[in-house]
């Protein structure tokens, strides 16, 4: 079996772990309206096999949805309503500030793995997934992963997350270089002020005594 996986030397997950994630599902406490047909109960009424309710027939309704059994009993037209099954959009927020890049296991790596696992479970359940990086994402880095749907999009999700990790490491290295440069500038300025002040009072007194 060849499942979705990241490219590069440090993938987020191995195949065995991905297979375990496929047994899980993202649950919602209440029914939410989605954008496309999926596997979640929606407050809307649609064409699924799960019965929801009846409502009286109104001019313009589809005759194919009339419950003829109800008409035989009540001599009134009623429509059968069914639960609409739609997808859900899962929004994942990831802290990519420089303060995350420390510890063992690394906090940033752990956070990216948690985001990747949650996103993969949602994608495998035909839900939409978006990811927003909060913090030091850097200029030119894709700080936002737009909505993707379907397990085949997991590879794009993993590549996005690994790219965030690489970008944070690059920004941290740049920050260390800038801090070292500032320290050199401060040291140089101190030396310049010392030279501009001339000899100290003690040195001047010693020279006068010798004369």
């Amino acid at each position: 079996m060849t499942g979705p996986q990241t490219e590069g030397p440090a993938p987020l997950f191995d195949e065995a772990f991905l297979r375990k994630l496929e047994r899980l599902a993202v649950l919602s406490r209440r029914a939410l309206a989605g954008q496309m047909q999926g596997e979640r109960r929606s407050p809307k009424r649609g064409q699924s096999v799960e019965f929801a309710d009846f409502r009286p027939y109104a001019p313009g309704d589809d005759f194919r949805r009339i419950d003829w059994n109800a008409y035989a009993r009540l001599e009134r037209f009623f429509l059968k309503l069914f639960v609409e099954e739609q997808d859900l959009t899962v929004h994942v927020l990831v802290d990519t500030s420089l303060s995350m890049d420390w510890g063992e296991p690394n906090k940033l790596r752990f956070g990216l793995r948690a985001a990747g696992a949650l996103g993969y479970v949602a994608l495998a359940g035909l839900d939409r997934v978006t990811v927003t990086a909060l913090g030091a994402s850097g200029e030119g880095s894709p700080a936002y992963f737009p909505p993707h749907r379907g397990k085949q999009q997991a590879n794009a999700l993993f590549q996005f997350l690994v790219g965030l990790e690489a970008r944070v490491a690059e920004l941290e290295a740049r920050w260390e270089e800038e801090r070292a440069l500032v320290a050199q500038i401060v040291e140089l300025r101190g030396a310049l002020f010392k030279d501009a002040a001339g000899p100290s009072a003690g040195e001047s007194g010693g020279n006068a005594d010798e004369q």
Side-chain angles (χ1 to χ4, degrees):
M1 173 181 175
T2 302
Q5 189 55 267
T6 56
E7 298 178 357
L12 293 176
F13 309 111
D14 56 25
E15 298 290 342
F17 188 73
L18 290 180
R19 286 193 292 270
K20 293 179 180 178
L21 291 178
E22 292 177 2
R23 305 172 189 169
L24 305 178
V26 178
L27 300 181
S28 175
R29 292 184 177 179
R30 57 190 179 91
L32 300 172
Q35 299 181 11
M36 297 181 61
Q37 185 175 0
E39 298 184 356
R40 296 185 177 277
R41 293 172 59 94
S42 169
K44 300 179 181 179
R45 298 293 178 249
Q47 304 295 326
S48 74
V49 297
E50 183 177 352
F51 172 75
D53 200 357
F54 290 103
R55 75 166 175 82
Y57 171 83
D61 285 337
D62 189 347
F63 279 100
R64 293 173 297 179
R65 298 175 61 186
I66 292 178
D67 187 333
W68 296 105
N69 292 328
Y71 175 78
R73 294 194 308 269
L74 305 173
E75 296 185 354
R76 294 178 58 189
F77 291 119
F78 287 91
L79 299 185
K80 257 187 174 181
L81 303 179
F82 297 89
V83 174
E84 178 78 1
E85 295 181 343
Q86 296 182 324
D87 62 359
L88 179 72
T89 300
V90 178
H91 301 273
V92 182
L93 306 180
V94 183
D95 183 1
T96 57
S97 58
L98 295 181
S99 62
M100 290 286 291
D101 193 16
W102 73 280
E104 187 59 40
N106 184 269
K107 284 180 61 179
L108 177 62
R109 182 75 175 180
F110 189 87
L112 294 176
R113 283 174 54 85
L118 177 60
Y120 185 78
V121 171
L123 290 174
L126 298 181
D127 291 322
R128 293 176 180 271
V129 174
T130 73
V131 181
T132 302
L134 306 176
S137 57
E139 298 180 0
S141 177
Y144 176 68
F145 183 75
H148 284 64
R149 185 174 186 264
K151 192 169 67 173
Q152 69 275 12
Q153 302 298 328
N155 198 32
L157 170 65
F158 295 159
Q159 288 180 359
F160 172 82
L161 295 173
V162 171
L164 288 178
E165 184 178 35
R167 186 57 177 164
V168 169
E170 178 184 345
L171 290 174
E172 186 172 14
R174 186 187 307 173
W175 181 77
E176 291 290 346
E177 293 176 357
E178 292 177 354
R179 187 174 66 171
L181 179 60
V182 170
Q184 293 177 3
I185 293 175
V186 171
E187 182 179 357
L188 178 60
R189 190 178 69 169
L192 291 175
F193 274 112
K194 182 177 181 181
D195 292 341
S200 62
E203 293 175 349
S204 299
N207 293 335
D209 292 341
E210 291 176 0
Q211 293 175 1

